[in-house]
Amino acid sequence: MVQLDYLSHYGPSICVKFFERFVLAGYGPFIHVYDYKTGELLNIARIFNRNKVHGISVKGDHILAYGARSLSVITIQNVLEQRTLINFEKNCHEWIIDAEFSASGESIFLLTSYNKVICCSLDGTVDGIKAVFGERSILYSGSIKVFDDERVYVNAGTVMGGVIIWDLFSEEKIYNFTGHEGSIFYVTLSDDGKYIATCSDDRSIKLWNMDTGELMSTAWGHTARIWNLQFFDNDKKLVSVSEDCTCRVWDIMDNGVVKQRDAYEVHLTKNVWGVDVQSSEMIAVTSGNDGTLKLTDLKPLDRNGDEVHVFLRNDFELDGLKLEVGEIFKGFFWLKFGLIAVTSHGQVLRYNQITSRWNAVLQDEKLSSYTMTSGVQDIDTVVFCNNNCDLILMKFQRGNGHLLSKVSLHVEEISKCTNCLVAFEENRLLVTLESPKPSDNFLCLQFDVDSLEMCNKYQWKKPSGFFSSSLCVWNDYLIVGSKLGSMFVFTFSNPQYDALMLRRLCPGDTITSVKFVETLPNGESLFSITNRDGYYLFLSINVPERRYKIVHSNKISKGFLEGAFYNEDGDYIVYGFKSDHFYMFNETKQFEIMSELCGGAHRQWKLFKNFIPGEYVLVYVKAGNIHLRRVHQRNIPQTLVDGTHGREIRDLSIRGSHPYRNGYLFCSASEDTTIKLAVFERESGIIKNFWTQRKHTSGLQRCKFISDKYMISSAAREELYLWELNTQFSTGPYMNLLKELPPSSKNPDLRIMDFDYKMLDNGNFLLATVYSDSAIKVWIYNSKTNEFNLLIQGRYETCCLLNVALIHLHERDILLVGPTDGHLVYWDISKYSLFHFSEVANDQEGAEESHLLPKYDGRILVHKAGIKDLAVRVTSGACFKAYTVGDDNAVAISTFSLNTAGFVSGAVSCLEDRGGASTITSLDLIEQSDKLITTSVDQNVRVYDISSDGLILELKTYTTIADTGCSAVLNESDKAFLLIGGVGLSVAKLTKLR
Amino acid sequence: MGKSSKDKRDLYYRKAKEEGYRARSAFKLLQLDEHFHFLDNVTRVVDLCAAPGSWSQVLSRRLFDESTSDTSSKRIVAVDLQPMFPIDHVTTLQADITHPRTLNKIMELFEGEKADFVCSDGAPDVTGLHDLDEYVQQQLILSALQLTTCMLRKGGVFVAKIFRGRDIDMLYSQLGFLFDRVVCAKPRASRGTSLESFVVCLGYNPPAHWTPKLDVNASIEDFFQGCDIGRLTLDDKLPSYTEEPRDIAEFLSCGGLGSFDSDATY
Ligand SMILES: C[S@@+](CC[C@H](N)C(=O)[O-])C[C@H]1O[C@@H](n2cnc3c(N)ncnc32)[C@H](O)[C@@H]1O
């Protein structure tokens, strides 16, 4: 017998609640308890057998958890200490919309979806049922407001746009508000009893006067349905969350007008369900479909000193400085003591952040008009350069900003300077100057970091198409990002040596940053690169051998990229602009760190480190004034748990060849069009995400590791991508698109439903793809040329093909296809494939025409509807078995064999037609123990013993993952790990019982 | 079921246009009937959640073909939240089927006569909360069933759209108490990639001890409280967690394997 233990569960979280120093979150059938100040997960308690926790109420030490037709009254102690509380679960005959304790805390009220309130004691004894007469159509929302023992109101939102407010004890209707259109998704009454706030399908929020029934105001802002709404800050504000992924804060004015104050992008994929605010600290917690629990600081400016400091012209005058009419700021640089700024009239000004005073450092004609400002924070140095090639370097004392040294020089080598960049590494200060003239050299000056005297001069011939835009110095090399997505590597020790040219590394134009990441013992070095058009890549370069390779590339979801780096936690942080906002985004964990309305990328701006890990300063000029926005290290964590995809996971694949860190790498492919590369920990099942690949433009269909370094993914629009995985680097795994499968037309609209492969020698492989229009193609991939060549093409009939397998049997190649008509259809393709193995692999000149696939050699009817998943095992030299599950709820085993004449024939050898209450979506084989595992939409995982050729059900367990759609298995010698995907993801361990 | 460009390429969409049906859904009913022949010899039918009306069109054509002479006893009533363009021989009603008053109105239109066939192709707006969406869908089916128990003749047939989700086996089990045979049927015209299928309940045969009673102040759950079909009932105390009976229904695919596949794209 076998045992299945669930290690972890990730999925939608519908409700969140602050309670003392805790955040309680309904997370599937569990409640998670976190200390929100430290982010520590204190406990995960299973509350319900099957239902999800939709809401949590707290009174004293008691907790009332409810969801669907379940509820439970427990204590905070229980939830903090126990792993399972399912013994406390009670059921109700109708869906519970809201549940509350009475004022005394001695009884509870349950509002059901038919607008009735069941009043019962804490042990579930029903004291009575309350309702208003005649209104029995279904509700989507509602809430109970308890003021005292006599005053309890029920606020019910109907599907037809009505809001019914009634008195619980008198069972009398007080109001029926009909102002909204469509279903009402939330209704809530303020603590002071003054207002009722409602939100609906129509995307508006309405505020009603509880005394008069008058509609006070309607507020707009959300761009999709609004799911939840809470009063906070002594009923002075509202917070709302929506399908549009945002959380918004609204001010309630004295006259009852509701005005949007802030909007936060809190979750990435559709639907934020839960929200609560800790008013005393102004922190919001939100939860959504992506399973992330996000903390948002609603007052970062006050608390952290994240203030935006604006320096008005008046401020300078107060400090005895004078700015002429028309004198504007041309540049600035942030140092330990404060800011250095230069004006269009050549004034260099210094701001001391301790004394908050400005004073003048220098006035120099050379710095008027066109000046470029940069510097190096580590050595407290600022570098100015004008377009006549005059350079001024200034070094300041770290603590007080006194000018320590200053050097001016004029560069003769070039006639004009249009770009001046600065780089620093291990006591080398380098300044590059570039002229617009192609025949001028690219100039690089090295300065002594103490005296600022020039100590070296390098000149390189400019390659064609060279325009320096970003700089990185590393060992003997100067790496320059350029326009047209190109990069150039110059050698200091040998300026005669031609630059290593890396042209068109990514779509788009200007490379905005180049950063050294790490070096391997073999001399390969990894650099992170961003370009303005939103791409970032990791490039592994071996300069002496003049080799380079892109090991990772991706595009951010929207906006421009100006730079990126790894932070202290090893998360990849990107920053740039989204229309008129500057933003910083945690790309690893997928959340926005900050955003600042600064007017857009065309302004003068710069992001600086602020000398403390995790702290930054954004300086920009807006309306002629310098703005200083500090981004402090948060004193609360930004997420409590990092989730996964916000939409259905369609496929999962584990890289089983080697462990990675304390577990295994895997990919998840989702309806949200992204693929995530993550690792699950063997012991705990904890998942850590590395990358979210956004290359696909349509919902994913399949993903599969075909070797330790190749992965293939497929989707609609005939998208099939071959990815290469790289696990050599310590910063994390990297994954890069190697090749796209050529589509059949310019505007492809077929879906690649499935594929299978067969590895050949030298990294080449055979690939079979099946399509939604019944087409079948077999390709050969040549790793030397990185090309797919079509070998065979044809079609089955007219129906969609769902599965394909390539089987190598006794020197023969069999193609097996599972269409929606429930058949298993097969072809012997040996005469095309075998011939080609040797030929094509060796010599790929002049791809010849593909062969036409003839009518199938045979087919057998296995299922009454579409085959959802297929696995094949060759059992002997001339025999294989096909395991299938279908839309018809059946599991089947079919046996195929080659007869002496070499023909294939097959028959169903075993069929379980009630293998699930609904569609069985996936199956996996556990190799060493002859088990077959299925998952189905009825949320059951079934394990069959197949050692005797039959299907003997050994285990059936409930999975907490809704819309169960896929699974993947990793076999270890004595156990197996199972990943289950659907709306969420869970990790389970399968062990044999002795 | 919007008319996206995908639908336009769909063969059923084209076929519906050719044959004058308002929606491709017509073929789902036709394929179900092709297998079960539940429309042979029926005279009085109710089509719930009927807009835009392609099922009503199918029913109208079947009940009132040229050969029929005596049409006096025949009746088709179609109900939807949405307004519907008129269809020959079909009485349309714009109303919410979850409201008991709507059910009263339908019964009035039948003047006390029983119906031979009740169908419902209803689907609520989805929120994205899987369990809630499944619950609301099941409530829609139970509403239809509520009407069915009030006016379907013994031996009659009930057909309803279902989404085979987590708790569908509970519904199968409950329907099993009311009908001789419960089948889950998937017409080929319904996309294999969607969870949609149809529950076909043959031979209405309610428990002898139970008389359905419509009450405008009772919810659907209240309505079934007296009827012993395995639904949870509310007593003096909320019960501890109990597994309600579940049952896997027989699965059938209809429309013939040779008919068009609605998942195929061209
Ligand atoms: C898929 S369509 C029906 C198509 C129809 N069978 C045909 O062939 O034209 C589903 C219908 O269910 C209706 N519906 C949903 N909830 C309803 C309710 N509570 N009462 C009445 N109709 C409802 C919707 O208005 C929608 O028109």
Side-chain angles (χ1 to χ4, degrees):
Chain A
M1 290 303 266
V2 289
Q3 179 179 329
L4 194 71
D5 298 303
Y6 291 100
L7 302 178
S8 65
H9 162 101
Y10 293 84
S13 163
I14 308 169
C15 61
V16 277
K17 187 152 197 90
F18 279 107
F19 174 68
E20 296 175 353
R21 67 191 165 91
F22 310 119
V23 161
L24 306 174
Y27 207 88
F30 308 93
I31 286 183
H32 286 200
V33 190
Y34 296 87
D35 179 330
Y36 74 86
K37 299 210 168 163
T38 61
E40 191 191 347
L41 172 64
L42 302 173
N43 192 31
I44 296 180
R46 177 120 185 196
I47 305 297
F48 297 137
N49 287 275
R50 296 168 70 95
N51 291 330
K52 294 195 180 85
V53 178
H54 280 246
I56 299 168
S57 301
V58 186
K59 180 95 195 179
D61 287 342
H62 279 99
I63 290 181
L64 172 55
Y66 60 91
R69 300 196 298 158
S70 296
L71 76 144
S72 189
V73 181
I74 42 194
T75 65
I76 182 77
Q77 224 51 38
N78 292 150
V79 178
L80 271 169
E81 287 164 7
Q82 270 148 269
R83 301 301 270 180
T84 175
L85 297 167
I86 54 176
N87 292 339
F88 294 91
E89 179 174 357
K90 296 208 180 319
N91 283 160
C92 178
H93 69 310
E94 284 169 4
W95 183 280
I96 302 168
I97 292 275
D98 191 30
E100 268 301 339
F101 287 101
S102 66
S104 67
E106 282 158 16
S107 56
I108 52 173
F109 306 123
L110 310 174
L111 172 62
T112 79
S113 57
Y114 285 98
N115 209 359
K116 278 186 299 195
V117 174
I118 300 167
C119 308
C120 39
S121 55
L122 298 186
D123 71 354
T125 307
V126 179
D127 303 326
I129 295 178
K130 305 276 182 190
V132 278
F133 188 79
E135 296 293 347
R136 278 309 148 269
S137 58
I138 204 156
L139 307 179
Y140 267 146
S141 66
S143 64
I144 302 166
K145 187 77 189 179
V146 178
F147 286 105
D148 50 46
D149 280 334
E150 272 89 58
R151 251 184 353 136
V152 175
Y153 295 110
V154 181
N155 317 299
T158 74
V159 275
M160 305 288 279
V163 177
I164 297 163
I165 312 289
W166 55 281
D167 183 311
L168 181 75
F169 296 118
S170 71
E171 297 183 273
E172 261 166 45
K173 188 148 73 180
I174 303 171
Y175 296 117
N176 186 357
F177 302 135
T178 53
H180 277 291
E181 275 172 45
S183 306
I184 305 294
F185 292 123
Y186 213 81
V187 198
T188 180
L189 217 167
S190 62
D191 286 340
D192 61 12
K194 238 170 99 180
Y195 294 126
I196 294 154
T198 56
C199 60
S200 100
D201 217 6
D202 66 15
R203 303 172 180 190
S204 74
I205 293 174
K206 288 183 190 285
L207 192 73
W208 315 79
N209 186 318
M210 184 63 187
D211 290 332
T212 62
E214 186 189 354
L215 172 64
M216 303 301 293
S217 63
T218 303
W220 302 89
H222 281 292
T223 57
R225 291 179 286 182
I226 306 170
W227 299 125
N228 205 322
L229 201 56
Q230 304 288 332
F231 285 97
F232 73 104
D233 196 16
N234 292 321
D235 298 328
K236 288 201 295 283
K237 294 193 181 73
L238 277 168
V239 63
S240 60
V241 290
S242 151
E243 192 173 10
D244 70 9
C245 303
T246 66
C247 163
R248 290 173 201 248
V249 174
W250 313 77
D251 281 319
I252 302 171
M253 316 301 233
D254 289 340
N255 59 358
V257 169
V258 174
K259 244 171 115 177
Q260 186 176 318
R261 180 192 177 93
D262 278 307
Y264 304 91
E265 296 257 351
V266 280
H267 295 260
L268 274 181
T269 12
K270 269 225 300 208
N271 290 328
V272 188
W273 303 119
V275 64
D276 195 22
V277 176
Q278 161 71 281
S279 286
S280 60
E281 305 208 28
M282 285 294 155
I283 297 168
V285 58
T286 53
S287 69
N289 250 22
D290 59 7
T292 296
L293 295 178
K294 176 89 182 71
L295 291 181
T296 301
D297 198 331
L298 301 180
K299 229 171 159 184
L301 308 187
D302 307 14
R303 187 189 348 273
N304 294 319
D306 267 21
E307 76 281 8
V308 186
H309 199 131
V310 186
F311 298 108
L312 303 172
R313 296 178 97 76
N314 199 16
D315 297 332
F316 295 92
E317 272 157 33
L318 287 177
D319 286 340
L321 300 169
K322 194 160 163 36
L323 294 179
E324 302 288 336
V325 177
E327 182 172 4
I328 56 166
F329 289 99
K330 298 299 289 183
F332 34 73
F333 202 83
W334 183 256
L335 294 173
K336 178 86 193 196
F337 63 85
L339 192 71
I340 292 291
V342 60
T343 72
S344 56
H345 289 204
Q347 282 200 75
V348 177
L349 305 174
R350 169 178 46 207
Y351 171 72
N352 185 316
Q353 60 172 336
I354 304 205
T355 62
S356 306
R357 309 292 302 250
W358 283 94
N359 56 34
V361 185
L362 182 74
Q363 162 87 48
D364 192 326
E365 265 310 293
K366 290 200 273 294
L367 295 181
S368 53
S369 73
Y370 191 83
T371 354
M372 292 158 276
T373 312
S374 44
V376 179
Q377 290 183 315
D378 297 3
I379 51 167
D380 313 287
T381 299
V382 180
V383 178
F384 299 108
C385 177
N386 69 12
N387 53 356
N388 294 322
C389 307
D390 294 310
L391 268 175
I392 296 179
L393 284 79
M394 295 202 274
K395 190 178 173 81
F396 298 89
Q397 191 164 57
R398 179 150 279 224
N400 59 19
H402 288 323
L403 183 62
L404 292 179
S405 45
K406 176 185 153 245
V407 168
S408 319
L409 72 158
H410 180 73
V411 177
E412 302 286 347
E413 282 80 357
I414 56 175
S415 48
K416 203 172 167 210
C417 176
T418 46
N419 204 3
C420 169
L421 299 170
V422 172
F424 174 78
E425 191 224 31
E426 283 179 31
N427 265 352
R428 283 191 295 166
L429 169 60
L430 295 153
V431 178
T432 64
L433 295 111
E434 185 188 352
S435 93
K437 227 159 96 191
S439 60
D440 279 348
N441 281 335
F442 181 54
L443 208 63
C444 177
L445 313 178
Q446 186 181 341
F447 295 89
D448 182 277
V449 294
D450 295 316
S451 66
L452 299 184
E453 291 304 325
M454 187 168 80
C455 52
N456 255 318
K457 189 181 284 180
Y458 305 92
Q459 294 195 50
W460 294 284
K461 260 181 66 189
K462 280 195 291 191
S464 68
F466 175 87
F467 300 96
S468 60
S469 58
S470 47
L471 209 59
C472 174
V473 52
W474 183 70
N475 290 350
D476 194 22
Y477 311 106
L478 186 71
I479 299 140
V480 187
S482 170
K483 292 201 172 174
L484 299 170
S486 305
M487 238 173 68
F488 301 87
V489 183
F490 301 98
T491 313
F492 287 111
S493 59
N494 190 352
Q496 295 326 88
Y497 210 46
D498 281 339
L500 171 62
M501 297 186 280
L502 291 65
R503 292 198 188 269
R504 293 240 57 120
L505 291 167
C506 48
D509 194 11
T510 306
I511 294 209
T512 46
S513 78
V514 181
K515 268 223 152 61
F516 167 73
V517 179
E518 62 173 299
T519 300
L520 293 180
N522 68 8
E524 277 188 40
S525 304
L526 192 67
F527 293 86
S528 141
I529 290 156
T530 55
N531 90 350
R532 186 150 296 146
D533 298 77
Y535 290 88
Y536 63 85
L537 27 148
F538 287 85
L539 206 61
S540 165
I541 314 182
N542 188 323
V543 200
E545 295 177 19
R546 299 183 87 72
R547 280 191 290 111
Y548 74 93
K549 188 173 177 173
I550 297 172
V551 298
H552 192 90
S553 70
N554 200 1
K555 192 178 191 309
I556 51 159
S557 49
K558 51 185 172 196
F560 304 113
L561 266 190
E562 297 290 349
F565 55 89
Y566 275 110
N567 73 3
E568 303 72 43
D569 302 329
D571 293 352
Y572 193 59
I573 311 296
V574 299
Y575 60 90
F577 291 89
K578 266 189 304 200
S579 60
D580 46 8
H581 281 79
F582 174 86
Y583 73 93
M584 292 178 82
F585 187 81
N586 186 319
E587 176 68 4
T588 305
K589 298 201 173 119
Q590 297 284 299
F591 66 83
E592 191 170 275
I593 297 166
M594 62 82 79
S595 85
E596 171 79 7
L597 182 69
C598 69
H602 58 281
R603 309 229 177 233
Q604 288 264 11
W605 70 273
K606 234 180 205 125
L607 181 73
F608 300 98
K609 289 199 168 151
N610 196 20
F611 304 91
I612 298 169
E615 306 226 335
Y616 307 93
V617 177
L618 173 73
V619 185
Y620 60 94
V621 177
K622 191 164 129 186
N625 297 318
I626 294 181
H627 289 56
L628 217 139
R629 160 83 195 258
R630 292 168 206 262
V631 183
H632 283 243
Q633 184 79 277
R634 300 288 158 204
N635 52 13
I636 49 158
Q638 293 194 285
T639 56
L640 295 173
V641 58
D642 300 307
T644 169
H645 300 274
R647 300 196 54 194
E648 292 81 351
I649 294 175
R650 290 287 178 229
D651 204 10
L652 288 162
S653 179
I654 304 172
R655 190 192 64 151
S657 56
H658 310 284
Y660 189 84
R661 295 191 182 168
N662 291 320
Y664 292 93
L665 281 175
F666 70 96
C667 279
S668 51
S670 161
E671 191 62 27
D672 69 9
T673 79
T674 69
I675 299 171
K676 283 189 192 281
L677 176 64
V679 66
F680 71 85
E681 228 245 283
R682 285 174 80 258
E683 297 302 320
S684 62
I686 289 174
I687 289 170
K688 177 176 162 46
N689 282 309
F690 292 107
W691 300 110
T692 303
Q693 286 286 0
R694 302 190 184 86
K695 173 72 186 160
H696 282 282
T697 62
S698 59
L700 267 293
Q701 194 70 35
R702 287 268 194 262
C703 70
K704 215 183 277 182
F705 276 103
I706 64 167
S707 72
D708 60 342
K709 66 174 211 187
Y710 288 152
M711 196 275 288
I712 296 179
S713 58
S714 81
R717 303 177 55 84
E718 274 184 57
E719 293 171 350
L720 183 141
Y721 301 143
L722 173 65
W723 303 85
E724 187 177 22
L725 185 77
N726 189 318
T727 50
Q728 297 175 70
F729 295 100
S730 67
T731 35
Y734 293 91
M735 196 168 84
N736 191 46
L737 178 69
L738 208 53
K739 188 69 191 170
E740 305 181 16
L741 190 75
S744 59
S745 73
K746 268 225 183 72
N747 192 7
D749 56 6
L750 298 176
R751 189 172 268 265
I752 299 186
M753 303 301 292
D754 192 22
F755 54 85
D756 196 20
Y757 64 96
K758 180 188 164 190
M759 289 320 268
L760 309 173
D761 294 338
N762 308 325
N764 301 340
F765 59 86
L766 213 57
L767 180 77
T769 49
V770 291
Y771 297 76
S772 50
D773 69 343
S774 227
I776 301 166
K777 293 179 185 175
V778 181
W779 313 76
I780 188 147
Y781 174 75
N782 185 318
S783 64
K784 221 158 64 196
T785 58
N786 190 25
E787 290 290 340
F788 281 106
N789 287 297
L790 188 59
L791 202 60
I792 310 170
Q793 63 175 322
R795 65 176 59 247
Y796 168 56
E797 285 187 335
T798 55
C799 58
C800 177
L801 305 180
L802 299 173
N803 288 284
V804 61
L806 276 173
I807 303 134
H808 192 60
L809 189 70
H810 213 261
E811 306 275 293
R812 317 220 118 236
D813 279 308
I814 317 287
L815 178 73
L816 186 71
V817 169
T820 49
D821 67 10
H823 285 94
L824 277 176
V825 191
Y826 52 90
W827 285 261
D828 184 338
I829 57 164
S830 316
K831 75 166 178 261
Y832 318 105
S833 59
L834 290 179
F835 165 72
H836 271 270
F837 289 163
S838 47
E839 297 283 304
V840 178
N842 297 334
D843 164 32
Q844 198 43 62
E845 290 308 305
E848 48 194 289
E849 265 184 40
S850 58
H851 300 276
L852 201 66
L853 189 70
K855 189 179 154 74
Y856 50 81
D857 294 333
R859 64 174 188 180
I860 56 171
L861 184 61
V862 186
H863 289 271
K864 290 182 200 156
I867 292 174
K868 289 290 184 181
D869 204 2
L870 163 69
V872 169
R873 186 190 272 178
V874 175
T875 47
S876 72
C879 180
F880 72 88
K881 288 187 188 297
Y883 303 88
T884 49
V885 289
D887 199 21
D888 60 353
N889 314 342
V891 190
I893 305 177
S894 309
T895 308
F896 293 82
S897 52
L898 277 181
N899 64 18
T900 43
F903 294 113
V904 184
S905 62
V908 177
S909 43
C910 182
L911 183 91
E912 168 53 75
D913 64 1
R914 293 183 184 208
S918 60
T919 309
I920 306 177
T921 43
S922 80
L923 79 92
D924 288 286
L925 297 176
I926 308 270
E927 287 309 330
Q928 75 285 2
S929 57
D930 265 337
K931 308 283 186 229
L932 184 149
I933 303 186
T934 65
T935 64
S936 52
V937 183
D938 63 11
Q939 282 185 238
N940 281 304
V941 175
R942 292 172 172 84
V943 182
Y944 296 90
D945 184 286
I946 50 169
S947 54
S948 59
D949 264 6
L951 284 161
I952 300 160
L953 185 65
E954 276 196 359
L955 182 76
K956 178 182 150 195
T957 69
Y958 179 73
T959 159
T960 51
I961 302 300
D963 203 357
T964 327
C966 56
S967 58
V969 154
L970 179 110
N971 293 290
E972 281 190 350
S973 55
D974 57 340
K975 58 176 151 327
F977 291 95
L978 178 67
L979 293 188
I980 301 165
V983 184
L985 184 59
S986 112
V987 184
K989 186 169 78 179
L990 193 79
T991 36
K992 244 195 244 181
L993 285 184
R994 301 195 180 275
Chain B
M1 245 157 265
K3 286 175 191 69
S4 71
S5 57
K6 215 176 218 136
D7 283 322
K8 284 191 182 125
R9 286 189 313 270
D10 183 319
L11 287 168
Y12 284 105
Y13 178 81
R14 275 189 260 156
K15 207 170 154 197
K17 278 262 132 32
E18 274 165 34
E19 298 182 20
Y21 288 116
R22 294 176 183 181
R24 59 199 286 292
S25 317
F27 298 102
K28 299 176 191 168
L29 185 62
L30 285 168
Q31 288 175 349
L32 289 170
D33 181 51
E34 200 179 296
H35 189 275
F36 292 99
H37 296 281
F38 46 54
L39 297 183
D40 296 354
N41 309 319
V42 295
T43 53
R44 283 176 306 276
V45 301
V46 186
D47 181 10
L48 300 172
C49 304
S54 76
W55 282 27
S56 290
Q57 289 178 298
V58 171
L59 294 169
S60 169
R61 291 182 198 183
R62 280 299 296 271
L63 264 68
F64 296 88
D65 59 0
E66 272 118 62
S67 61
T68 42
S69 45
D70 174 30
T71 57
S72 58
S73 63
K74 297 195 172 176
R75 171 137 290 157
I76 304 173
V77 174
V79 188
D80 202 287
L81 283 173
Q82 308 293 330
M84 269 163 69
F85 286 109
I87 299 168
D88 287 346
H89 314 292
V90 177
T91 313
T92 59
L93 188 69
Q94 188 178 352
D96 176 1
I97 68 155
T98 64
H99 217 292
R101 253 176 283 185
T102 307
L103 306 186
N104 268 332
K105 259 187 230 153
I106 302 170
M107 293 204 288
E108 278 163 27
L109 288 168
F110 272 72
E111 293 159 346
E113 298 258 20
K114 292 268 178 194
D116 306 307
F117 178 78
V118 178
C119 61
S120 168
D121 189 23
D125 284 345
V126 295
T127 62
L129 279 175
H130 270 78
D131 48 356
L132 179 63
D133 290 339
E134 186 177 4
Y135 178 79
V136 176
Q137 170 68 17
Q138 290 211 5
Q139 294 302 300
L140 213 54
I141 297 167
L142 287 178
S143 291
L145 190 65
Q146 192 178 2
L147 177 80
T148 303
T149 58
C150 294
M151 62 182 301
L152 188 66
R153 72 164 163 82
K154 207 161 183 257
V157 175
F158 172 64
V159 173
K161 191 213 297 280
I162 55 172
F163 290 96
R164 285 182 294 152
R166 184 185 73 168
D167 290 331
I168 197 65
D169 41 2
M170 273 159 58
L171 182 73
Y172 290 150
S173 161
Q174 289 154 15
L175 290 168
F177 284 100
L178 297 168
F179 292 88
D180 293 338
R181 184 175 165 215
V182 177
V183 181
C184 167
K186 179 129 187 151
R188 296 276 287 162
S190 173
R191 291 209 171 92
T193 41
S194 91
L195 294 175
E196 178 190 85
S197 34
F198 293 85
V199 62
V200 179
C201 307
L202 305 165
Y204 180 54
N205 188 8
H209 63 271
W210 179 63
T211 330
K213 213 170 85 235
L214 262 186
D215 172 357
V216 287
N217 203 33
S219 72
I220 292 165
E221 294 293 353
D222 297 334
F223 178 88
F224 285 106
Q225 289 282 294
C227 177
D228 197 9
I229 57 170
R231 283 197 86 76
L232 186 72
T233 49
L234 189 63
D235 296 322
D236 314 342
K237 194 163 175 179
L238 298 177
S240 285
Y241 176 77
T242 33
E243 268 288 330
E244 287 172 60
R246 292 168 186 270
D247 192 8
I248 300 179
E250 166 188 3
F251 181 92
L252 268 172
S253 174
C254 18
L257 294 176
S259 55
F260 297 129
D261 174 11
S262 48
D263 286 310
T265 42
Y266 289 90

